[in-house]
Structure formats: structure tokens, C-alpha cells
């Protein structure tokens, strides 16, 4: 039998008979896989580990460990479930201490002249808040004050505990100013400032004072931890000098290095740790 005759006489295969169980697809797009609809996220909810991390307790990874160990409670109930979500209005506690879900932020500004250290001004004058408006959406507040004509380092944060620590004189936070006077400071007056001066609101003592090396004797470096209003200017005014320029160059160990006037930067993780170690 010829080969062609053999092919014609073959019985139809199962495929030809339509019994092939494999699905036949027409040319074109491949079949679409059915995807289960995703449940929309609730903007009012946040994962518990993120809540704990934002409160400044630890990192998210460490928070998972603490959650699993039963250290975190929500509305009075211990939660050990991974991925558990809470609302910002929930009462979340870590080892019994209530947490604030807002992420702690710290912004350092090199303040220029002619800006008021306040959140708003009734007279419409420019405030330091304008200078950091692009830094964050969180509501930050300045730590302490610099008067309108004083330049230099100013810290902003939403960390209330840190603010209290850095502004209370008992913690002795280091602040160094570069003061420019209208005339040379006599050595005898420098000694008086070293010994302490009695101002109208009480005795004031500086931590250190010296002439700026290599500069005229009208340029003075002064270290002080008092937070009294205009205290550096008043010290010199008490002795008959006028401060023509005042610049805060160091605040709580933070410096102006690589931070131009009018610019800001977030603190590094190490800088935040250093601030937290202040006794």
C-alpha cells in the first residue's frame, strides 16, 4: 500500500475527533488569570509595628519582636499578631507606657537675620516656619528662641520630651555664640563676665568666654546654658557694649558645618542618639 493511501485510510485521532482534553485557544491575547479583588486600605489605620517605630521606641523589625513577646497592648488587650492594624485614636502602650504614633522628626536650621522665632506673627513679619515649610508635613516647633537679629543654629522637632530636655537649664545644654561688639572688649570686662554679672533679673554666669583667636578683640566667643531672653546681648549691654552681630555656632553638640545660612537639614540618626544621651 502506498504511503499516501495509508494516510487516507488511517482512523481519525482523538485530537481530530475533538476528544483532546487540552483547551484550544485562538491566536491573540493569552487567557487572563482571575485576580482576587484587593481590599482597599484604610488611611486611618496603620500597622502596629510602624506605630511603635514611629513612636521612637525602636525599629520596625525590633517592634515585631516586642509584639510577639507580648510587650504591646491595644486598648487594654495584649496583641501578638503580626500585621495587626490599629487606628491613630487607639490607646497603644509599650510595657504600660502610652505611645504617640507621630513619627519623631528633627530639623536643624541655620537661621538668617530678620526672621521671628515663632509659629506665627500678628504683625505679619516673616517667621522661621517659612524657612522649613518644605521640610515636612508634620507640625514642628522651634526648640528655644533666637531673636530677630540673631543668626545661627535653631532646632525644630515634634518630640516634646526632647524639647523639654534641651530647653531646661538644669541639663546644661551647650550653646556657643560668636558675638561682634561695637568696640574692643577690655580684659577687665571679660574677667567680670567670667566671674558673673548681676543683671536686673538675677545673677548670670557664663560657662566660658574668650577672644576669637586671630580676630580683633571686638569678636568674642561665649558659651552659656542660660535660656533667658536676649541674655548674651544683655550681658554686654550691662558693661556698656553693643552687640552688632550675634551668631549661634554650636547648639547641644550640633554645628553649622556644611549648612549655609537660610538652609536646613534633618538630623542624622547618630545626632538624634547623641541628643537623647544628654542627662
Amino acid at each position: 500500500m502506498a504511503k499516501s493511501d495509508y494516510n487516507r485510510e488511517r482512523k481519525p485521532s482523538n485530537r481530530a475527533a475533538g476528544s483532546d482534553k487540552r483547551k484550544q485557544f485562538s491566536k491573540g491575547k493569552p487567557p487572563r488569570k482571575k485576580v482576587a479583588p484587593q481590599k482597599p486600605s484604610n488611611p486611618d489605620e496603620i500597622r502596629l509595628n510602624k506605630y511603635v517605630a514611629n513612636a521612637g521606641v525602636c525599629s520596625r523589625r525590633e517592634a515585631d519582636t516586642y509584639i510577639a513577646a507580648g510587650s504591646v497592648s491595644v486598648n487594654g488587650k495584649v496583641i501578638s499578631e503580626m500585621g495587626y492594624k490599629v487606628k491613630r485614636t487607639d490607646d497603644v502602650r509599650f510595657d504600660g507606657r502610652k505611645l504617640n504614633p507621630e513619627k519623631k522628626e528633627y530639623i536643624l536650621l541655620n537661621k538668617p537675620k530678620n526672621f521671628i522665632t515663632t509659629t506665627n506673627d500678628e504683625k505679619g513679619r516673616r517667621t522661621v516656619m517659612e524657612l522649613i515649610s518644605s521640610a515636612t508635613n508634620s507640625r514642628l516647633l522651634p526648640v528655644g528662641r533666637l531673636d530677630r537679629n540673631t543668626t545661627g543654629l535653631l532646632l525644630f522637632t515634634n518630640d516634646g520630651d526632647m524639647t523639654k530636655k534641651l530647653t531646661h537649664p538644669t541639663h546644661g545644654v551647650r550653646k556657643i555664640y560668636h558675638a561682634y561688639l561695637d568696640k574692643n572688649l577690655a580684659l577687665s570686662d571679660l574677667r567680670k563676665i567670667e566671674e558673673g554679672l548681676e543683671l536686673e533679673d538675677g545673677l548670670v554666669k557664663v560657662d566660658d568666654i574668650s577672644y576669637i583667636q586671630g580676630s580683633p578683640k571686638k569678636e568674642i566667643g561665649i558659651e552659656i546654658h542660660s535660656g533667658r531672653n536676649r541674655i548674651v546681648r544683655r550681658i554686654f549691654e550691662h558693661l556698656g557694649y553693643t552687640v552688632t552681630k550675634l551668631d549661634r555656632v554650636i547648639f547641644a553638640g550640633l554645628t553649622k558645618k556644611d549648612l549655609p545660612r537660610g538652609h536646613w537639614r534633618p538630623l542624622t540618626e547618630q545626632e538624634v542618639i547623641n541628643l537623647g544621651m544628654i542627662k
Side-chain angles (χ1 to χ4, degrees), residues 55-155:
V57 174
C58 57
S59 67
R60 282 202 205 184
R61 182 174 296 178
E62 291 170 330
D64 285 333
T65 302
Y66 286 123
I67 292 169
S71 298
V72 182
S73 67
V74 179
N75 299 326
K77 180 182 178 181
V78 173
I79 300 297
S80 57
E81 174 188 340
M82 294 297 104
Y84 187 86
K85 290 188 176 182
V86 295
K87 295 180 180 179
R88 297 183 183 277
T89 54
D90 286 338
D91 184 322
V92 180
R93 296 177 181 265
F94 178 81
D95 285 342
R97 178 171 63 91
K98 188 172 182 178
L99 302 182
N100 184 338
E102 187 176 28
K103 182 179 180 181
K104 301 294 188 297
E105 296 190 56
Y106 309 85
I107 298 295
L108 185 65
L109 170 72
N110 187 350
K111 177 189 172 296
K113 289 179 63 175
N114 298 320
F115 284 84
I116 307 295
T117 305
T118 185
T119 54
N120 55 69
D121 184 67
E122 295 177 354
K123 298 180 181 179
R125 293 171 295 182
R126 304 186 73 182
T127 75
V128 291
M129 306 310 294
E130 298 176 34
L131 299 170
I132 65 162
S133 59
S134 61
T136 177
N137 291 325
S138 299
R139 184 174 182 270
L140 307 186
L141 297 176
V143 178
R145 300 178 65 88
L146 287 179
D147 65 48
R148 184 177 184 181
N149 292 320
T150 300
T151 60
L153 295 178
L154 185 61
L155 181 66

Side-chain angles (χ1 to χ4, degrees), residues 34-263:
K34 291 184 179 181
V35 178
Q38 291 185 347
K39 185 179 179 180
S41 59
N42 187 341
D44 295 327
E45 293 182 337
I46 181 174
R47 283 182 176 269
L48 184 54
N49 62 350
K50 183 178 180 181
Y51 190 111
V52 174
N54 285 356
V57 174
C58 57
S59 67
R60 282 202 205 184
R61 182 174 296 178
E62 291 170 330
D64 285 333
T65 302
Y66 286 123
I67 292 169
S71 298
V72 182
S73 67
V74 179
N75 299 326
K77 180 182 178 181
V78 173
I79 300 297
S80 57
E81 174 188 340
M82 294 297 104
Y84 187 86
K85 290 188 176 182
V86 295
K87 295 180 180 179
R88 297 183 183 277
T89 54
D90 286 338
D91 184 322
V92 180
R93 296 177 181 265
F94 178 81
D95 285 342
R97 178 171 63 91
K98 188 172 182 178
L99 302 182
N100 184 338
E102 187 176 28
K103 182 179 180 181
K104 301 294 188 297
E105 296 190 56
Y106 309 85
I107 298 295
L108 185 65
L109 170 72
N110 187 350
K111 177 189 172 296
K113 289 179 63 175
N114 298 320
F115 284 84
I116 307 295
T117 305
T118 185
T119 54
N120 55 69
D121 184 67
E122 295 177 354
K123 298 180 181 179
R125 293 171 295 182
R126 304 186 73 182
T127 75
V128 291
M129 306 310 294
E130 298 176 34
L131 299 170
I132 65 162
S133 59
S134 61
T136 177
N137 291 325
S138 299
R139 184 174 182 270
L140 307 186
L141 297 176
V143 178
R145 300 178 65 88
L146 287 179
D147 65 48
R148 184 177 184 181
N149 292 320
T150 300
T151 60
L153 295 178
L154 185 61
L155 181 66
F156 297 78
T157 185
N158 54 0
D159 187 339
D161 292 336
M162 183 71 76
T163 297
K164 290 178 183 178
K165 177 186 290 188
L166 296 179
T167 53
H168 202 285
T170 57
H171 293 288
V173 173
R174 190 182 185 208
K175 293 176 282 189
I176 298 180
Y177 295 83
H178 186 167
Y180 298 75
L181 308 180
D182 60 337
K183 56 188 175 183
N184 290 344
L185 179 66
L187 181 59
S188 59
D189 287 334
L190 185 145
R191 297 296 183 220
K192 290 178 182 178
I193 297 174
E194 281 182 330
E195 294 169 2
L197 295 176
E198 188 69 37
L199 304 183
E200 62 273 15
D201 56 351
L203 179 68
V204 61
K205 289 189 175 182
V206 303
D207 301 306
D208 195 14
I209 184 171
S210 65
Y211 297 110
I212 300 295
Q213 188 174 4
S215 299
K217 294 189 182 301
K218 63 173 63 176
E219 293 188 32
I220 309 299
I222 181 169
E223 180 179 343
I224 192 168
H225 64 265
S226 172
R228 283 191 254 174
N229 188 37
R230 299 183 67 255
I231 189 62
V232 175
R233 294 182 186 275
R234 290 196 291 127
I235 286 173
F236 291 107
E237 289 170 359
H238 183 77
L239 297 173
Y241 299 88
T242 298
V243 177
T244 59
K245 182 180 177 182
L246 187 61
D247 188 41
R248 185 154 72 185
V249 295
I250 291 179
F251 176 72
L254 304 171
T255 73
K256 299 193 303 177
K257 183 180 180 182
D258 300 325
L259 187 60
R261 186 87 71 217
H263 289 244

